[in-house]
Amino acid sequence: MPKPATPAPSSTAGSPGGILTLVRNGRAASRAEVARATGLSPTTVALRVELLIEAGYLREAGNGDSHGGRRPRQLEVDPSGGLIVGVDLGARHASFGLFDMRAQLVAEHHVDIDIAEGPEVLLPWVAAQAQNLASHHAEAGQKLIGIGIGLPGPVNHPTGFLISPSRMPGWDGLDVSVELSKLSGVPTVVDNDANLMALGEHIVRGEDVDDFVFIKAGSSIGGGVIFGGELHHGHHGMAGDISHVTAHGAPATPCSCGRNGCLDAVAGGAAIVANLQAASVDVADTPQVLELARNGHPLATQMLREAGIRTGTVLATVVNFSNPQRIVLGGNLSEAGAFVGGVKSAIYTECLPLATDGLEIDVSQAKERGGIIGAARVVLDRILDADTVTADVAP
């Protein structure tokens, strides 16, 4: 009986850009491993690797393990090829992370902002902050080559336009990637902040689970989905956005979208602050709510638990429908035991037993770095895209 034919290696995998992708993903760390992974001859691999080294994409870094004969020279992404800045822009905060080409964090910076200042003020400031962070930490020959940014509003995928963002006057319909690229002079990739936090969480955890839902619970509530090991956007980038799902049994509180009783309007941190203020509690923001709860304030604790139950009730439908392996709670509300407990209670009450069998409900490990890590990944994936790299080194 004849042996089945060996599938031909894909042209993309064997291209210079495809070889770089193999090294980036840890699937090959030497010329010999590249040859085995692609089916290319050692001579062809050597020529293409040299192109990548000369262009500054790869470098040699010591010797690998010998399997009989001379020890192979190890290959790795050259970190000196440039610097990336990941930005997580929230309603009241901005986080900046500086990364090298291997996605290693070099420096970070966190500062309070007000998103309502608008893009005319904030985008030039973001561009300046990114350039300053890079210039202060750059080594010889390094410069800023890309920015990834997460925004606290719906981002149309793949166009990158912001669509009707809540509490963000002046941002609606803006193509942030184009505007920020003009201001910074480097390529920019834009996505929803919860999506990038989900991706960052996936990376920090070693990408160990292929299907999970990430919930960003801060002043507002959003979500991101990892499906099949990849960030899942859906048709227009709205996958995971539970903000405007009606929370049944909750007060008919008006929402910025024009409807009443949306989850964001009844369970987000801003809603909790407003309800406490209406009850004559001296509180200005979500961190102060958390501090009150830590000190045993009964009303703050009760409202956090109610917010968790409402969030968990909405998530129960998600769990029953998509059966994820893990739910991760991030944002500052995830620091409150009352909120997390409410989420878990509602999910286990409302879901079918088979849907929750083996389900992990956990708080974020990436914490405030999740957004900047995810932002760095998406812009690196854009810059180091296999076809783009191939065109660069072998036009």
Side-chain angles (χ1 to χ4, degrees), residues 20-26 28-29 56-62 74-85 97-106 139 142-143 145 203-204 207 372-381 383-384:
L20 176 64
T21 299
L22 289 173
V23 176
R24 282 189 68 207
N25 294 344
Y57 289 108
L58 289 180
R59 72 177 184 182
E60 293 182 322
Q74 294 290 92
L75 298 172
E76 68 177 17
V77 175
D78 189 345
S80 66
L83 294 167
I84 300 293
V85 169
L98 183 69
F99 297 81
D100 64 22
M101 295 291 283
R102 294 178 299 177
Q104 298 298 308
L105 183 63
V106 176
E139 297 180 357
Q142 282 185 319
K143 63 178 182 178
I145 62 170
I203 294 167
V204 167
E207 303 177 348
I372 59 175
I373 292 171
R377 166 64 72 86
V378 295
V379 74
L380 272 173
D381 285 348
I383 291 170
L384 300 181

Side-chain angles (χ1 to χ4, degrees), residues 3 17 116 156 175 177 179 190 197 248 268 296 300 305 309 324 326 340 370:
K3 293 181 179 179
N156 186 294
D175 190 338
S177 62
E179 296 302 318
V190 176
M197 292 169 77
H248 296 290
R305 181 166 178 80
I309 290 172
R326 177 184 292 155
V340 174

